[in-house]
Amino acid sequence: MPPFVSYLLYQWDINVRMATIIGFAGGGGIGLTLMTYFGSLQYHKAGTVVLMIVIVVALMDFASAKLRQNLV
């Protein structure tokens, strides 16, 4: 069970990070919002979106590490 959970958390982490990249390339979602803000020179809003992405990724990494520590 622990290897499955570890792999599941790893894939979840990759999917969240890739969603931003794909959206920035034109796939929609949060990346599209970020690209729109940059395109319309609304850097304060773009900075807020980038900060939120960093916070979400950091929280995911922390939660993932704690779950792996408890399961393995």
Side-chain angles (χ1 to χ4, degrees):
M1 184 71 170
F4 174 73
V5 172
S6 179
Y7 182 72
L8 181 73
L9 292 171
Y10 175 69
Q11 284 298 319
W12 180 51
D13 186 42
I14 288 173
N15 288 340
V16 169
R17 292 172 193 235
M18 290 303 296
T20 303
I21 302 301
I22 290 171
F24 198 72
I30 193 71
L32 180 62
T33 303
L34 185 60
M35 189 173 66
T36 303
Y37 287 150
F38 277 127
S40 61
L41 305 177
Q42 295 179 352
Y43 296 121
H44 59 285
K45 290 182 181 179
T48 303
V49 171
V50 169
L51 180 65
M52 290 284 110
I53 291 169
V54 169
I55 289 171
V56 167
V57 169
L59 288 174
M60 278 184 6
D61 284 342
F62 179 75
S64 173
K66 285 296 181 186
L67 281 172
R68 285 186 189 133
Q69 184 180 21
N70 289 340
L71 292 174
V72 175

